[in-house]
Amino acid sequence: MINRRIILAGAAALAFSATAASAQDWKTKYPELTFAVVPAENASGVTERWTPFVAYLAKELGVKVTLRIANDYAAVIEGQRAGNIHIASYGSASFARARLTGVKTDAFANDINSDGSTGYYSVFFVKASSPYKSIDQLKGKNLGLVDPNSTSGNNVPRFELDKMGISDADSYFGKVVFTGSHENAMLALSQGTVEIAANQWTNDDDSTLVQMLHKGMLKNADGTPMKKEDFRIIHKSAPIMNGPYAYNSGLPEDLKAAIAKAFFDSPTKDKAAFERLSDGQKKAFNPATTKDWDGTIDLIKFVDNLRKKKAS
């Protein structure tokens, strides 16, 4: 006699087999996924930081996941446009640039800071031993930026400078240098190549500066380690939303769901990999949507207009 329990059990079995078949379909189509990140630090540091997390993703998804360390944000944007990069770690501005230029990419998460917030700041650093206390004291000095598509290292700094009446940073400062990474910008400042550097800062215990100090990367002229007190912030922006993790819009929906789930589960399923990734500075991943960065597109348009005015 067929009863309700048998019917329900049969339905559950069908649903399970359908889900398994669906997963097998995307695994056949995507036997390998590429996850791209832009280094805020040297390449070996990025590899050490991300490799355990990428191994965790591969285990959870059941397919090979390859870490790609991109040269810059433009490489990530074009890689996603071409479909060669399936998952990417973006800054807010680079994600907005990708969308503005037609890349089919969807945000699904961003970082939650250790204090529960989901944002950070763009700041201007100077050396504490310098006489500089404000931007207006640095006219004619050298400014270190990060990357043309960096949020805290170029776009927000230019926006902040414009609010101070400095619409053309290149003519205001003696030289404006793109250093290539957040770490390189701080190295340029510490070594005296620039007198002021733009960078990202969440709080006194969460920044590129703190990470570099922990690794002993910043030294005084006599070789002694530098400290937080050796640097001074002379300007801080309004809060910026932490940049997103995004996957290609064209990926199968069940694959997208599996990727997102793996991210959200990681602090408990592989605490060691998650903490290695964040140096213990992040709490978890926050569910996010592409629309969360709509406002950043306006910032990108603003910076583009500044460039057009300078060119005309």
Side-chain angles (χ1 to χ4, degrees):
M1 181 178 179
I2 299 176
N3 57 32
R4 183 172 178 272
R5 182 176 296 177
I6 293 174
I7 292 172
L8 289 175
L14 286 172
F16 176 81
S17 59
T19 301
S22 179
Q24 193 55 48
D25 285 345
W26 67 252
K27 287 180 182 180
T28 300
K29 188 174 181 180
Y30 296 96
E32 181 176 351
L33 299 171
T34 299
F35 184 6
V37 299
V38 176
E41 55 195 320
N42 61 67
S44 62
V46 178
T47 302
E48 291 171 8
R49 185 184 301 278
W50 282 93
T51 296
F53 185 79
V54 169
Y56 157 78
L57 281 181
K59 180 181 176 182
E60 290 297 298
L61 297 174
V63 295
K64 183 179 179 181
V65 179
T66 299
L67 175 66
R68 175 177 168 185
I69 302 172
N71 292 328
D72 52 29
Y73 286 114
V76 176
I77 292 170
E78 294 310 313
Q80 276 221 303
R81 190 191 310 280
N84 299 324
I85 294 171
H86 306 100
I87 313 167
S89 173
Y90 277 105
S92 291
S94 56
F95 181 65
R97 173 70 65 192
R99 292 180 56 214
L100 198 58
T101 57
V103 178
K104 304 300 182 185
T105 181
D106 294 326
F108 64 90
N110 68 342
D111 293 319
I112 300 176
N113 303 325
S114 56
D115 62 3
S117 63
T118 56
Y120 65 111
Y121 302 88
S122 173
V123 300
F124 286 114
F125 278 108
V126 296
K127 290 175 75 172
S129 60
S130 76
Y132 311 118
K133 301 290 178 64
S134 62
I135 299 293
D136 58 12
Q137 296 176 325
L138 283 145
K139 185 173 183 178
K141 304 302 179 181
N142 294 339
L143 166 65
L145 298 177
V146 175
D147 176 281
N149 285 306
S150 171
T151 310
S152 61
N154 182 53
N155 289 280
V156 172
R158 289 186 188 273
F159 178 71
E160 294 293 312
L161 290 170
D162 187 75
K163 288 196 296 185
M164 300 176 210
I166 304 170
S167 59
D168 185 0
D170 297 273
S171 63
Y172 182 83
F173 294 98
K175 185 184 292 184
V176 176
V177 182
F178 281 116
T179 61
S181 74
H182 289 83
E183 280 192 347
N184 285 345
M186 295 309 296
L187 282 169
L189 177 61
S190 69
Q191 295 167 0
T193 306
V194 301
E195 286 80 23
I196 175 174
N199 226 278
Q200 63 88 16
W201 182 91
T202 302
N203 56 52
D204 280 337
D205 298 314
D206 184 353
S207 66
T208 297
L209 172 61
V210 170
Q211 291 173 357
M212 294 178 75
L213 292 173
H214 283 168
K215 292 187 285 187
M217 294 180 65
L218 300 173
K219 309 272 189 189
N220 291 301
D222 62 3
T224 58
M226 298 184 82
K227 303 175 182 179
K228 279 191 285 188
E229 295 74 23
D230 292 320
F231 298 88
R232 178 169 57 241
I233 293 173
I234 60 170
H235 183 81
K236 183 170 71 171
S237 73
I240 307 163
M241 183 177 292
N242 286 340
Y245 298 94
Y247 37 46
N248 283 4
S249 304
L251 294 179
E253 292 303 316
D254 48 353
L255 173 52
K256 291 181 186 177
I259 292 169
K261 186 177 187 304
F263 267 73
F264 300 139
D265 288 348
S266 63
T268 52
K269 279 198 168 183
D270 197 334
K271 185 178 179 182
F274 177 78
E275 291 190 347
R276 180 69 191 90
L277 175 64
S278 67
D279 267 352
Q281 295 178 339
K282 305 302 178 186
K283 190 175 182 179
F285 292 109
N286 175 61
T289 67
T290 298
K291 289 184 177 180
D292 292 336
W293 283 270
D294 281 352
T296 315
I297 290 179
D298 295 331
L299 170 66
I300 297 303
K301 290 178 178 178
F302 169 82
V303 174
D304 285 349
N305 286 332
L306 283 183
R307 290 172 182 155
K308 288 175 183 177
K309 285 179 184 178
K310 181 184 175 183
S312 61

